[in-house]
């Protein structure tokens, strides 16, 4: 990726003039940079947060809390978690690489494993949302975002092992008000957001928010005529809210939400890491950072996501307490279709004498012959026949994943989830030294997931998971399970403030999660291979499974005020993520294809995968100091942390002749430690500079799934992050001012797998001894020292004019067009990685107004 990337198209625009003007603006403001509390421009003592579910000054909270205020949201143009978290030190996010709802947030070394539960709680206007697909959705018109780091389950509830994102949205006022902003930039990238709020009747108000985004994307499909089908997207959302006073002491808050997205999916290239093949072609041993991205699959990838949501929250004030109760219903359906990955393992070349197999076989051979010589990315190539070149050196092929032929089949992935949750909580509001709260929580999750691989007969991808032999897209492998979860929890807090200087808090939560999985795969055979369509069946249907997971989550917090400007703090807490079930049959696939070294053509990889993965438990310590200097013009906080994680949940991806497989495994123990600093300085009225950063250290202490990874780093964890920037607002005339905002984010080197600087046997190691080449197995080994993402820095810039009720802004996201990797997914036994590119530069303009 260090060179110009093939497949990236840049329209001819007046971009050069805009870039020059923006760079000149930055140069004019270049100055020594002090720093900030997560990009907030306000002094710490002026910011009110709800980090402990009570309103209090940021400086008084005995923990690290990064706050993104309404001013920062407007100045940076952020509206989704993906952009907000890039303003926060110690936090990284991977989103949208496979599909829109696919989001992994890493906070201080704890990551949310794909296909498991999130490690970060999302709380919007006091209501906990439990579907990971909602983590990166627009959540209405935001007024403030708080990012809490470390275990928050005792306070904010389920799936807060790594932290919590607490969002507040616009409330209705006594007069009609509203706002609107829209922008448009390169590659037909546009966004529009608006809201209107006001009274309906005495004591009753409303808020209506809407958002719309569209883009042609950065990449093009060469085989489909350079079509804009690789990362294009269009989505919209509608949010409604009614707040009513039901008497002097009671408030009812009702919200409804609908969102819809359609676009592309599986934005990946495959990269090989086979050093012994490099003698034939150096591209067989590729550093992922050098990838020149190209796309040429014959299947147009699609992704559709529909969200319906409704909630009600009621609050009643008593003389010495507050009773709060809420309920939430959420329904998110999503599906993707895409090209397959199995061409190199000849899954769709079969000698079985049946019409379906012959039709698939003939189609694969025909498209291979038609496309012979089509220029694939090195080292892949299309030969005369669709037989792996190690078996047919003279005329065979090496397709890679997502080839333009039909030989890699198709894939359909679905996820339908309905959540119903409710909470009731009573909190004291007395003025004494002791305050307390207690409550109960319930959640039901009804989730169905499916992964279907089908034969490609040139007639597209069927939207149904199972298609019988003889159909246009016959199914050759199927995972399909229904997961039912019931969660019961009791929680409480006790806060003690014996003096103005000292505070102590104890929070406690006990969770019981009852989970079950029911397999929905019909008992039929794969029409291509003749074996069961799900290897876990083994001649019989897969029986239902169930388990119950329990965990106590305590949290202790201490705070001591040295003086009016300096606070010391320390806290300790336990984080928890429930165990669960992979698609049933996953363990059988791994055992048959990777751990059966006695069968010719296979290997003994020694990787252990179970159909049930264990609960994750973490113990986290944090200590630090926060305060202000120079009459509040400079605010700062410093913290150190240490976390020990037991049975860390981790996503594994397997590819082979069986197709593809997504599973969750456990890493028995991982230790993470580090330090973090934030400084914010108001140099002059209207001029703020800021900086923040963190360093992470981590080590895998035990991993029974892959024992040889002990000593490696925690996956998805950047070695460090650094944020630098400035915001300037200068008056031009009465009622008119010029604004400038510049942000620089540096993300350190990152490993994405537990396997790192190591050599591992692959499927090629098993095949080479019995191939036409008859080479030793070791020649097929892969080395994964080339899979670490390099450090990368991104510059965002916005400059504009602001009047009393309107703004006009030009912006550049990724101003210097830095090429970077969004995600790297090593498929260890495949011998390579699936890598996804980060967003490229977009320059455009924005207008907005408010009333």
């Amino acid at each position: 990726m260090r060179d110009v990337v093939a497949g990236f198209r840049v329209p001819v625009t007046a971009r050069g003039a805009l870039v020059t003007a923006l760079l000149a603006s930055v140069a004019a403001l270049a100055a020594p940079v002090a720093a900030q509390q997560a990009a907030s421009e306000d002094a710490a003592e002026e910011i009110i947060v709800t980090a402990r579910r009570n309103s209090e000054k940021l400086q008084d909270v005995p923990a690290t809390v990064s706050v993104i205020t309404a001013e920062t949201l407007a100045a940076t143009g952020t509206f989704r978690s993906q952009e907000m978290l890039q303003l926060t030190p110690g936090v990284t996010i991977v989103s949208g690489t496979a599909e829109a709802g696919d989001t992994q947030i890493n906070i201080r070394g704890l990551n949310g494993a794909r296909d498991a539960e999130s490690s970060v709680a999302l709380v919007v206007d006091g209501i906990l949302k439990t579907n990971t697909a909602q983590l990166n959705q627009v959540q209405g018109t935001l007024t403030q975002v708080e990012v809490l780091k470390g275990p928050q389950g005792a306070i904010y509830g389920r799936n807060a092992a790594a932290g919590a994102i607490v969002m507040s949205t616009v409330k209705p006022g006594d007069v009609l008000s509203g706002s609107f902003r829209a922008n448009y930039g390169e590659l037909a990238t546009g966004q529009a957001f608006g809201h209107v709020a006001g009274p309906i009747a005495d004591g009753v108000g409303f808020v209506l928010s809407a958002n719309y985004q569209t883009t042609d994307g950065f990449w093009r499909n060469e085989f489909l005529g350079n079509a804009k089908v690789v990362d294009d997207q269009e989505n919209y959302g509608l949010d409604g809210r009614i707040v009513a006073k039901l008497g002097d002491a009671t408030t009812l808050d009702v919200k409804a939400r609908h969102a819809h997205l359609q676009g592309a999916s599986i934005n990946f290239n495959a990269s090989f890491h086979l050093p012994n093949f490099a003698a034939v072609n150096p591209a067989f041993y590729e550093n992922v950072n050098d990838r020149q991205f190209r796309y040429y699959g014959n299947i147009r990838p699609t992704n559709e996501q529909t969200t319906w949501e409704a909630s009600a929250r009621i609050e009643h004030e008593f003389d010495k307490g507050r009773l709060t109760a809420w309920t939430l219903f959420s329904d998110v359906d999503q599906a993707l279709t895409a090209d397959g990955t199995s061409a190199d393992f000849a899954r769709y070349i079969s000698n079985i004498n049946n019409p379906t197999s012959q039709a698939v076989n003939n189609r694969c051979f025909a498209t291979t012959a038609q496309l012979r010589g089509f220029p694939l990315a090195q080292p892949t190539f299309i030969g005369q026949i669709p037989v792996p070149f190690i078996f047919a050196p003279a005329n065979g092929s090496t397709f890679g994943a997502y080839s333009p032929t039909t030989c890699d089949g198709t894939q359909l992935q679905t996820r339908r989830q309905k959540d119903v949750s409710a909470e009731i909580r009573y909190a004291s509001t007395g003025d004494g030294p002791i305050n307390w709260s207690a409550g109960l929580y319930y959640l039901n999750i009804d989730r169905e997931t499916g992964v279907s691989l089908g034969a490609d007969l040139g007639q597209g991808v069927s939207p149904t998971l199972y298609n019988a032999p003889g159909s246009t897209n016959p199914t050759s492998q199927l995972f399909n399970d229904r997961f039912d979860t019931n969660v019961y929890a009791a929680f409480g807090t006790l806060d003690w403030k014996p003096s103005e200087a000292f505070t102590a808090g104890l929070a406690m939560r006990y969770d019981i999660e009852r989970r079950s999985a029911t397999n929905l795969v019909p008992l039929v055979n794969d029409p291509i291979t003749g074996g069961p369509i799900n290897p876990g069946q083994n001649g019989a249907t897969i029986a239902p499974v169930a388990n119950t997971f329990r965990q106590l989550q305590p949290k202790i917090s201490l705070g001591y005020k040295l003086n009016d400007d300096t606070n010391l703090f320390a806290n300790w807490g336990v984080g928890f993520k429930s165990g669960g079930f992979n698609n049933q049959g996953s363990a059988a696939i791994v055992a048959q294809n990777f751990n059966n070294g006695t069968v010719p053509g296979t290997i003994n990889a020694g990787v252990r995968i179970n159909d049930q993965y264990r609960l994750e438990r973490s113990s986290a310590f944090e200590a630090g100091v926060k305060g202000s200097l120079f009459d509040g013009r400079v605010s700062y906080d410093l913290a150190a942390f240490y976390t020990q994680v037991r049975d860390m949940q981790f996503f594994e991806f397997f590819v082979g002749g069986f197709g593809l497989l997504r599973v969750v495994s456990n890493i028995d123990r991982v230790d993470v430690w580090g330090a973090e600093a934030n400084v914010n300085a108001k140099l002059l009225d209207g001029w703020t500079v800021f900086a923040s950063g963190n360093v992470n250290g981590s080590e895998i202490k035990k991993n029974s799934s892959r024992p040889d990874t002990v000593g490696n780093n925690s996956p998805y964890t950047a070695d460090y992050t650094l944020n630098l920037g400035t915001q300037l607002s200068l008056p031009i005339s009465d009622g008119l001012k010029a604004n400038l905002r510049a942000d620089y984010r540096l993300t350190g080197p990152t490993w994405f797998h537990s396997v790192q600087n190591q050599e591992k046997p692959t499927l090629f190691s098993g095949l080479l001894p019995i191939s036409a080449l008859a080479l030793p197995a070791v020649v097929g080994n892969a080395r994964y020292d080339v899979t670490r993402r390099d450090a990368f820095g991104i510059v965002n810039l916005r400059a504009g004019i602001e009047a009393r009720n309107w703004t006009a802004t030009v912006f550049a996201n990724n101003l210097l067009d830095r090429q970077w990797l969004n995600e790297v997914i090593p498929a260890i036994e495949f011998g390579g990685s699936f890598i996804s590119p980060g967003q490229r530069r977009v320059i455009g303009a924005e207008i907005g107004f408010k009333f």
Side-chain angles (χ1 to χ4, degrees):
M1 292 185 65
R2 299 187 180 105
D3 302 320
V4 176
V5 177
F8 176 67
R9 295 177 59 194
V10 183
V12 177
T13 66
R15 184 176 60 233
L18 274 173
V19 171
T20 301
L22 292 172
L23 285 172
S25 300
V26 174
L29 289 171
V33 178
Q36 147 202 35
Q37 168 62 39
S40 170
E41 286 71 44
D42 302 303
E45 67 271 22
E46 297 175 354
I47 299 175
I48 303 299
V49 297
T50 58
R52 293 191 291 177
R53 299 187 73 166
N54 294 305
S55 297
E56 57 186 327
K57 294 179 181 179
L58 174 61
Q59 187 165 317
D60 293 339
V61 179
T64 300
V65 182
S66 298
V67 181
I68 305 171
T69 64
E71 182 183 1
T72 302
L73 290 168
T76 57
T78 58
F79 60 94
R80 292 188 305 177
S81 297
Q82 185 171 354
E83 292 85 13
M84 298 169 199
L85 295 179
Q86 294 304 308
L87 301 172
T88 309
V91 183
T92 57
I93 182 172
V94 172
S95 183
T97 55
E99 59 182 333
D102 185 21
T103 300
Q104 289 80 243
I105 298 174
N106 186 294
I107 299 181
R108 292 178 173 176
L110 274 72
N111 196 66
R114 181 184 274 108
D115 294 339
E117 302 296 334
S118 173
S119 292
V120 180
L122 174 64
V123 181
V124 183
D125 294 325
I127 293 179
L128 173 66
K129 301 191 176 185
T130 52
N131 193 323
T132 56
Q134 298 165 309
L135 280 170
N136 203 35
Q137 292 182 352
V138 177
Q139 299 291 334
T141 303
L142 297 173
T143 57
Q144 182 164 293
V145 178
E146 304 166 30
V147 181
L148 287 64
K149 301 168 186 177
Q152 304 297 329
I155 298 174
Y156 277 107
R158 187 173 183 270
N159 292 345
I165 302 173
V166 181
M167 297 181 174
S168 301
T169 68
V170 168
K171 294 181 179 179
D174 296 331
V175 297
L176 190 67
S177 63
S179 66
F180 174 81
R181 64 185 175 98
N183 59 58
Y184 192 79
E186 296 174 284
L187 306 172
T189 299
Q191 302 168 331
F193 308 90
H195 89 277
V196 59
I200 298 176
D202 187 26
V204 181
F206 79 98
V207 179
L208 181 62
S209 297
N211 65 86
Y212 174 80
Q213 300 97 47
T214 184
T215 182
D216 281 350
F218 302 97
W219 310 99
R220 304 292 178 258
N221 185 303
E222 302 170 32
F223 179 72
L224 299 179
N226 284 326
K228 305 170 184 178
V229 297
V230 176
D231 56 344
D232 61 305
Q233 191 176 104
E234 182 177 28
N235 61 85
Y236 67 84
L238 297 170
D239 292 81
R241 184 179 191 181
I242 294 177
V243 180
K245 292 286 290 183
L246 307 180
D248 294 337
T250 307
T251 302
L252 176 65
D253 188 348
V254 178
K255 300 175 70 177
R257 182 165 174 269
H258 170 61
H260 181 77
L261 176 145
Q262 60 183 18
S265 64
I266 312 293
N267 183 8
F268 287 99
N269 274 195
S271 177
F272 289 98
H273 312 312
L274 303 167
N276 296 312
F277 281 35
V280 177
N281 187 333
F284 271 114
Y285 184 49
E286 181 180 34
N287 188 309
V288 294
N289 298 282
D290 295 333
R291 182 66 180 179
Q292 296 188 3
F293 280 87
R294 293 177 59 197
Y295 301 85
Y296 33 67
N298 66 309
I299 300 293
R300 192 267 198 255
T302 67
N303 184 201
E304 189 162 354
Q305 181 189 81
T306 302
T307 301
W308 293 96
E309 186 181 291
S311 66
R313 185 174 187 268
I314 192 165
E315 188 173 275
H316 182 80
E317 298 285 349
F318 292 95
D319 289 342
K320 294 185 179 180
R322 179 184 302 111
L323 180 68
T324 305
W326 58 260
T327 184
L328 169 70
F329 169 76
S330 170
D331 183 354
V332 182
D333 291 348
Q334 50 194 28
L336 70 83
T337 63
D339 215 341
T341 60
S342 302
D344 282 317
F345 301 102
R347 179 176 181 82
Y348 296 104
I349 302 175
S350 174
N351 294 318
I352 296 176
N353 188 23
N354 66 68
T356 296
S357 179
Q358 288 301 316
V360 173
N361 188 71
N362 293 341
R363 181 74 183 173
C364 172
F365 269 85
T367 57
T368 300
Q370 293 165 4
L371 295 171
R372 183 181 183 185
F374 185 92
L376 304 185
Q378 292 293 320
T380 57
F381 61 93
I382 300 177
Q384 186 175 350
I385 59 174
V387 175
F389 85 94
I390 61 175
F391 289 97
N395 55 1
S397 304
T398 296
F399 295 105
Y402 320 119
S403 81
T405 73
T406 66
C407 302
D408 42 18
T410 67
Q411 59 176 301
L412 165 67
Q413 299 184 29
T414 63
R415 181 185 175 105
R416 301 180 180 92
Q417 179 171 323
K418 293 182 180 179
D419 298 11
V420 178
S421 56
E423 181 181 285
I424 185 168
R425 177 177 183 263
Y426 181 85
S428 66
T429 55
D431 295 329
I434 295 178
N435 276 291
W436 60 274
S437 70
L440 299 170
Y441 174 80
Y442 170 75
L443 166 68
N444 173 260
I445 301 176
D446 182 359
R447 176 189 302 154
E448 181 183 333
T449 66
V451 179
S452 174
L453 303 187
D456 184 359
L457 295 179
Q459 300 182 62
V461 186
S462 170
T464 56
L465 286 171
Y466 176 69
N467 302 283
S471 63
T472 60
N473 184 211
T475 303
S476 68
Q477 184 191 87
L478 179 60
F479 296 98
N480 186 199
D481 294 271
R482 179 177 177 180
F483 303 98
D484 189 71
T485 300
N486 285 286
V487 180
Y488 309 87
F491 57 89
T493 63
L494 181 65
D495 294 306
W496 180 44
K497 189 174 182 178
S499 67
E500 286 301 314
F502 181 74
T503 60
L506 171 65
M508 197 84 69
R509 179 185 176 96
Y510 185 68
D511 277 90
I512 301 174
E513 294 214 11
R514 295 176 178 169
R515 296 189 141 200
S516 64
T518 303
N519 189 260
L520 305 177
V521 177
L523 189 59
V524 295
N525 286 335
D526 174 4
I528 311 301
T529 66
I533 199 168
N534 184 314
Q537 291 174 329
N538 196 25
T541 57
I542 299 176
V545 291
N547 203 349
T548 299
F549 304 91
R550 298 177 174 87
Q551 183 64 52
L552 180 68
Q553 299 176 75
K555 187 176 182 69
I556 299 172
S557 303
L558 300 173
Y560 184 75
K561 183 178 289 188
L562 287 177
N563 52 53
D564 290 341
D565 298 321
T566 310
N567 286 6
L568 302 177
F569 65 88
N571 58 74
W572 168 80
V574 170
F576 161 65
K577 285 175 58 179
S578 173
F581 301 96
N582 291 308
N583 288 112
Q584 301 301 286
S586 298
I589 279 191
V590 172
Q592 292 174 18
N593 289 272
F594 301 117
N595 294 333
N596 191 2
T598 61
V599 177
T602 63
I603 57 173
N604 188 12
V607 57
R608 191 179 76 182
I609 297 296
N610 299 311
D611 282 347
Q612 175 183 310
Y613 54 89
R614 303 186 299 274
L615 69 85
E616 176 182 306
R617 182 185 183 276
S618 57
S619 175
F621 298 85
E622 180 188 40
V625 58
K626 60 175 63 177
S628 60
L629 303 168
F630 308 113
D631 295 326
R633 284 191 170 271
V634 176
S635 61
Y636 67 90
D637 67 74
L638 308 172
F641 57 89
Y642 170 77
T643 304
Q644 184 181 101
V645 189
R646 297 284 186 178
D647 292 321
M648 174 183 280
Q649 293 170 8
F650 174 62
F651 170 77
E652 289 260 23
F653 187 57
F654 296 92
V655 178
F658 56 87
L660 60 86
L661 178 65
R662 300 163 52 127
V663 296
V664 177
S665 65
N666 291 98
I667 304 175
D668 301 72
R669 179 181 164 186
V670 181
D671 288 2
V672 184
W673 59 91
E676 188 170 305
N678 304 271
V679 185
N680 177 76
K682 287 187 174 181
L683 300 184
L684 300 169
D685 289 343
W687 185 15
T688 305
V689 293
F690 42 85
S692 58
N694 91 309
V695 292
N696 289 311
S698 62
E699 184 178 357
I700 295 174
K701 294 291 188 178
K702 182 181 179 182
N703 187 4
S704 55
S705 178
R706 294 185 181 274
D708 58 353
T709 63
V710 170
N712 290 346
N713 293 346
S714 178
Y716 282 78
T717 303
D719 289 350
Y720 54 83
T721 62
L722 176 67
N723 290 75
L724 301 172
T726 187
Q727 184 167 322
L728 180 66
S729 182
L730 295 175
I732 299 175
S733 62
D734 186 27
L736 197 66
K737 58 183 179 181
N739 295 326
L740 176 75
R741 172 80 184 206
D743 287 276
Y744 174 71
R745 164 77 171 206
L746 178 64
T747 303
T750 307
W751 293 103
F752 288 89
H753 202 282
S754 59
V755 174
Q756 294 164 14
N757 281 310
Q758 293 161 271
E759 184 171 312
K760 303 286 287 185
T762 71
L763 293 174
F764 297 102
S765 305
L767 294 172
L768 281 174
I770 62 173
S771 72
L773 302 177
L775 294 172
V778 69
V779 176
N781 288 2
R783 195 158 63 229
Y784 287 92
D785 55 342
V786 292
T787 61
R788 187 177 73 164
R789 179 177 68 185
D790 286 346
F792 65 95
I794 301 295
V795 176
N796 293 334
L797 196 62
R798 293 171 64 89
I801 297 174
E802 179 181 356
R804 289 186 177 88
N805 62 353
W806 61 266
T807 59
T809 306
V810 293
F811 64 88
N813 296 328
N814 193 359
L815 173 68
L816 304 179
D817 199 20
R818 180 69 164 90
Q819 300 171 46
W820 58 285
L821 295 174
N822 195 354
E823 185 176 26
V824 179
I825 304 179
I828 302 303
E829 284 69 37
F830 162 67
S833 296
F834 291 80
I835 55 180
S836 184
Q839 293 183 349
R840 301 291 297 275
R841 177 170 58 198
V842 173
I843 294 179
E846 179 179 288
I847 59 170
F849 69 86
K850 59 185 177 181
F851 61 91

